[in-house]
mmCIF file of all heavy atoms in Angstrom:
data_model
loop_
_atom_site.group_PDB
_atom_site.id
_atom_site.type_symbol
_atom_site.label_atom_id
_atom_site.label_comp_id
_atom_site.label_asym_id
_atom_site.label_seq_id
_atom_site.Cartn_x
_atom_site.Cartn_y
_atom_site.Cartn_z
ATOM 1 N N GLY A 640 -37.403 -10.365 17.891
ATOM 2 C CA GLY A 640 -37.502 -11.809 18.168
ATOM 3 C C GLY A 640 -36.741 -12.209 19.448
ATOM 4 O O GLY A 640 -36.607 -13.415 19.753
ATOM 5 N N GLY A 641 -36.320 -11.213 20.198
ATOM 6 C CA GLY A 641 -35.737 -11.462 21.517
ATOM 7 C C GLY A 641 -34.205 -11.777 21.448
ATOM 8 O O GLY A 641 -33.665 -12.132 22.469
ATOM 9 N N PHE A 642 -33.629 -11.538 20.325
ATOM 10 C CA PHE A 642 -32.167 -11.871 20.215
ATOM 11 C C PHE A 642 -31.341 -10.738 20.864
ATOM 12 O O PHE A 642 -30.261 -10.992 21.262
ATOM 13 C CB PHE A 642 -31.748 -12.057 18.780
ATOM 14 C CG PHE A 642 -32.316 -13.351 18.208
ATOM 15 C CD1 PHE A 642 -33.576 -13.395 17.519
ATOM 16 C CD2 PHE A 642 -31.648 -14.552 18.396
ATOM 17 C CE1 PHE A 642 -34.056 -14.562 17.003
ATOM 18 C CE2 PHE A 642 -32.134 -15.743 17.900
ATOM 19 C CZ PHE A 642 -33.354 -15.759 17.188
ATOM 20 N N PHE A 643 -31.882 -9.521 20.807
ATOM 21 C CA PHE A 643 -31.094 -8.380 21.379
ATOM 22 C C PHE A 643 -31.940 -7.471 22.205
ATOM 23 O O PHE A 643 -33.222 -7.417 21.967
ATOM 24 C CB PHE A 643 -30.482 -7.556 20.198
ATOM 25 C CG PHE A 643 -29.707 -8.365 19.264
ATOM 26 C CD1 PHE A 643 -30.098 -8.453 17.960
ATOM 27 C CD2 PHE A 643 -28.573 -8.999 19.678
ATOM 28 C CE1 PHE A 643 -29.385 -9.238 17.055
ATOM 29 C CE2 PHE A 643 -27.850 -9.781 18.800
ATOM 30 C CZ PHE A 643 -28.232 -9.857 17.508
ATOM 31 N N LYS A 644 -31.281 -6.841 23.188
ATOM 32 C CA LYS A 644 -32.039 -5.801 23.958
ATOM 33 C C LYS A 644 -31.696 -4.464 23.458
ATOM 34 O O LYS A 644 -30.688 -4.228 22.832
ATOM 35 C CB LYS A 644 -31.573 -5.917 25.458
ATOM 36 C CG LYS A 644 -32.079 -7.171 26.254
ATOM 37 C CD LYS A 644 -32.261 -6.880 27.662
ATOM 38 C CE LYS A 644 -31.007 -7.254 28.512
ATOM 39 N NZ LYS A 644 -30.563 -8.568 28.569
ATOM 40 N N LYS A 645 -32.629 -3.526 23.684
ATOM 41 C CA LYS A 645 -32.374 -2.182 23.290
ATOM 42 C C LYS A 645 -31.599 -1.461 24.394
ATOM 43 O O LYS A 645 -31.702 -1.872 25.532
ATOM 44 C CB LYS A 645 -33.659 -1.417 23.007
ATOM 45 C CG LYS A 645 -34.385 -2.130 21.804
ATOM 46 C CD LYS A 645 -35.386 -1.235 21.188
ATOM 47 C CE LYS A 645 -35.826 -1.925 19.864
ATOM 48 N NZ LYS A 645 -36.834 -1.144 19.136
ATOM 49 N N PRO A 646 -30.793 -0.447 24.110
ATOM 50 C CA PRO A 646 -30.599 0.190 22.828
ATOM 51 C C PRO A 646 -29.689 -0.607 21.908
ATOM 52 O O PRO A 646 -28.734 -1.256 22.411
ATOM 53 C CB PRO A 646 -29.924 1.550 23.206
ATOM 54 C CG PRO A 646 -29.176 1.192 24.436
ATOM 55 C CD PRO A 646 -29.984 0.176 25.169
ATOM 56 N N VAL A 647 -29.943 -0.632 20.631
ATOM 57 C CA VAL A 647 -29.150 -1.306 19.642
ATOM 58 C C VAL A 647 -28.141 -0.397 18.994
ATOM 59 O O VAL A 647 -28.224 0.872 19.135
ATOM 60 C CB VAL A 647 -30.122 -1.956 18.618
ATOM 61 C CG1 VAL A 647 -30.972 -3.027 19.232
ATOM 62 C CG2 VAL A 647 -30.971 -0.876 17.898
ATOM 63 N N PRO A 648 -27.146 -0.948 18.282
ATOM 64 C CA PRO A 648 -26.149 -0.131 17.680
ATOM 65 C C PRO A 648 -26.738 0.795 16.576
ATOM 66 O O PRO A 648 -27.724 0.489 15.942
ATOM 67 C CB PRO A 648 -25.201 -1.172 17.028
ATOM 68 C CG PRO A 648 -25.539 -2.440 17.517
ATOM 69 C CD PRO A 648 -26.948 -2.394 18.187
ATOM 70 N N GLN A 649 -26.104 1.868 16.365
ATOM 71 C CA GLN A 649 -26.435 2.815 15.292
ATOM 72 C C GLN A 649 -25.216 2.984 14.394
ATOM 73 O O GLN A 649 -24.137 3.118 14.823
ATOM 74 C CB GLN A 649 -26.780 4.194 15.879
ATOM 75 C CG GLN A 649 -27.997 4.203 16.823
ATOM 76 C CD GLN A 649 -29.256 4.107 15.989
ATOM 77 O OE1 GLN A 649 -29.513 4.975 15.184
ATOM 78 N NE2 GLN A 649 -30.030 3.086 16.249
ATOM 79 N N GLN A 650 -25.586 3.028 13.096
ATOM 80 C CA GLN A 650 -24.487 3.173 12.086
ATOM 81 C C GLN A 650 -24.285 4.686 11.761
ATOM 82 O O GLN A 650 -25.292 5.446 11.582
ATOM 83 C CB GLN A 650 -24.837 2.459 10.828
ATOM 84 C CG GLN A 650 -23.881 2.661 9.680
ATOM 85 C CD GLN A 650 -24.144 1.878 8.464
ATOM 86 O OE1 GLN A 650 -24.328 0.664 8.524
ATOM 87 N NE2 GLN A 650 -24.299 2.553 7.288
ATOM 88 N N TYR A 651 -23.084 5.104 11.660
ATOM 89 C CA TYR A 651 -22.743 6.474 11.205
ATOM 90 C C TYR A 651 -21.683 6.370 10.175
ATOM 91 O O TYR A 651 -20.762 5.591 10.251
ATOM 92 C CB TYR A 651 -22.207 7.308 12.423
ATOM 93 C CG TYR A 651 -23.228 7.395 13.579
ATOM 94 C CD1 TYR A 651 -23.138 6.544 14.657
ATOM 95 C CD2 TYR A 651 -24.247 8.259 13.490
ATOM 96 C CE1 TYR A 651 -24.064 6.537 15.635
ATOM 97 C CE2 TYR A 651 -25.180 8.316 14.515
ATOM 98 C CZ TYR A 651 -25.103 7.451 15.600
ATOM 99 O OH TYR A 651 -26.030 7.520 16.579
ATOM 100 N N GLU A 652 -21.795 7.242 9.173
ATOM 101 C CA GLU A 652 -20.820 7.171 8.067
ATOM 102 C C GLU A 652 -19.920 8.460 8.003
ATOM 103 O O GLU A 652 -20.371 9.513 8.399
ATOM 104 C CB GLU A 652 -21.547 7.120 6.736
ATOM 105 C CG GLU A 652 -22.554 5.940 6.586
ATOM 106 C CD GLU A 652 -23.944 6.398 7.096
ATOM 107 O OE1 GLU A 652 -24.238 7.614 7.200
ATOM 108 O OE2 GLU A 652 -24.747 5.471 7.343
ATOM 109 N N PHE A 653 -18.698 8.241 7.615
ATOM 110 C CA PHE A 653 -17.772 9.374 7.401
ATOM 111 C C PHE A 653 -17.070 9.230 6.090
ATOM 112 O O PHE A 653 -17.120 8.156 5.512
ATOM 113 C CB PHE A 653 -16.730 9.415 8.575
ATOM 114 C CG PHE A 653 -15.751 8.280 8.569
ATOM 115 C CD1 PHE A 653 -14.423 8.445 8.029
ATOM 116 C CD2 PHE A 653 -16.044 7.020 9.001
ATOM 117 C CE1 PHE A 653 -13.549 7.409 7.996
ATOM 118 C CE2 PHE A 653 -15.132 6.012 8.979
ATOM 119 C CZ PHE A 653 -13.865 6.194 8.482
ATOM 120 N N ALA A 654 -16.448 10.298 5.598
ATOM 121 C CA ALA A 654 -15.752 10.258 4.280
ATOM 122 C C ALA A 654 -14.496 9.477 4.425
ATOM 123 O O ALA A 654 -13.668 9.684 5.279
ATOM 124 C CB ALA A 654 -15.478 11.690 3.851
ATOM 125 N N ARG A 655 -14.275 8.582 3.417
ATOM 126 C CA ARG A 655 -13.069 7.816 3.390
ATOM 127 C C ARG A 655 -11.830 8.738 3.066
ATOM 128 O O ARG A 655 -12.058 9.803 2.525
ATOM 129 C CB ARG A 655 -13.155 6.676 2.354
ATOM 130 C CG ARG A 655 -13.419 7.175 0.959
ATOM 131 C CD ARG A 655 -13.627 6.054 0.006
ATOM 132 N NE ARG A 655 -12.445 5.297 -0.233
ATOM 133 C CZ ARG A 655 -12.293 3.986 -0.016
ATOM 134 N NH1 ARG A 655 -13.321 3.305 0.481
ATOM 135 N NH2 ARG A 655 -11.149 3.375 -0.233
ATOM 136 N N LEU A 656 -10.718 8.194 3.429
ATOM 137 C CA LEU A 656 -9.494 8.985 3.094
ATOM 138 C C LEU A 656 -9.121 8.741 1.657
ATOM 139 O O LEU A 656 -9.007 7.627 1.215
ATOM 140 C CB LEU A 656 -8.346 8.501 4.054
ATOM 141 C CG LEU A 656 -6.962 9.004 3.603
ATOM 142 C CD1 LEU A 656 -6.805 10.469 3.764
ATOM 143 C CD2 LEU A 656 -5.886 8.286 4.432
ATOM 144 N N ASN A 657 -8.882 9.848 0.936
ATOM 145 C CA ASN A 657 -8.349 9.780 -0.347
ATOM 146 C C ASN A 657 -7.070 10.567 -0.249
ATOM 147 O O ASN A 657 -7.023 11.713 0.068
ATOM 148 C CB ASN A 657 -9.239 10.423 -1.428
ATOM 149 C CG ASN A 657 -10.528 9.631 -1.588
ATOM 150 O OD1 ASN A 657 -10.551 8.456 -1.717
ATOM 151 N ND2 ASN A 657 -11.648 10.457 -1.536
ATOM 152 N N LEU A 658 -5.919 9.912 -0.544
ATOM 153 C CA LEU A 658 -4.616 10.562 -0.421
ATOM 154 C C LEU A 658 -4.003 10.644 -1.833
ATOM 155 O O LEU A 658 -4.046 9.691 -2.591
ATOM 156 C CB LEU A 658 -3.742 9.648 0.410
ATOM 157 C CG LEU A 658 -2.432 10.102 0.857
ATOM 158 C CD1 LEU A 658 -2.530 11.413 1.797
ATOM 159 C CD2 LEU A 658 -1.635 9.018 1.653
ATOM 160 N N THR A 659 -3.444 11.896 -2.128
ATOM 161 C CA THR A 659 -2.943 12.078 -3.442
ATOM 162 C C THR A 659 -1.682 11.176 -3.648
ATOM 163 O O THR A 659 -1.019 10.792 -2.734
ATOM 164 C CB THR A 659 -2.517 13.534 -3.709
ATOM 165 O OG1 THR A 659 -1.553 13.896 -2.781
ATOM 166 C CG2 THR A 659 -3.723 14.511 -3.618
ATOM 167 N N TYR A 660 -1.444 10.863 -4.901
ATOM 168 C CA TYR A 660 -0.286 10.078 -5.379
ATOM 169 C C TYR A 660 -0.287 8.680 -4.879
ATOM 170 O O TYR A 660 0.731 7.956 -5.011
ATOM 171 C CB TYR A 660 1.062 10.728 -4.969
ATOM 172 C CG TYR A 660 1.204 12.105 -5.606
ATOM 173 C CD1 TYR A 660 1.017 13.256 -4.852
ATOM 174 C CD2 TYR A 660 1.521 12.261 -6.920
ATOM 175 C CE1 TYR A 660 1.099 14.552 -5.450
ATOM 176 C CE2 TYR A 660 1.659 13.504 -7.497
ATOM 177 C CZ TYR A 660 1.410 14.614 -6.773
ATOM 178 O OH TYR A 660 1.530 15.842 -7.356
ATOM 179 N N VAL A 661 -1.370 8.203 -4.357
ATOM 180 C CA VAL A 661 -1.474 6.743 -4.012
ATOM 181 C C VAL A 661 -2.808 6.262 -4.415
ATOM 182 O O VAL A 661 -3.742 6.971 -4.740
ATOM 183 C CB VAL A 661 -1.255 6.425 -2.517
ATOM 184 C CG1 VAL A 661 0.050 7.057 -2.027
ATOM 185 C CG2 VAL A 661 -2.377 7.034 -1.660
ATOM 186 N N VAL A 662 -2.911 4.870 -4.435
ATOM 187 C CA VAL A 662 -4.239 4.266 -4.634
ATOM 188 C C VAL A 662 -4.527 3.587 -3.319
ATOM 189 O O VAL A 662 -3.605 2.986 -2.671
ATOM 190 C CB VAL A 662 -4.294 3.352 -5.823
ATOM 191 C CG1 VAL A 662 -4.209 4.064 -7.170
ATOM 192 C CG2 VAL A 662 -3.229 2.233 -5.722
#
Side-chain angles (χ1 to χ4, degrees):
F642 291 93
F643 307 116
K644 286 209 270 300
K645 296 203 169 177
V647 293
Q649 295 284 301
Q650 174 179 307
Y651 301 97
E652 306 90 18
F653 70 100
R655 59 185 290 122
L656 167 66
N657 295 313
L658 188 63
T659 60
Y660 299 102
V661 304
V662 293

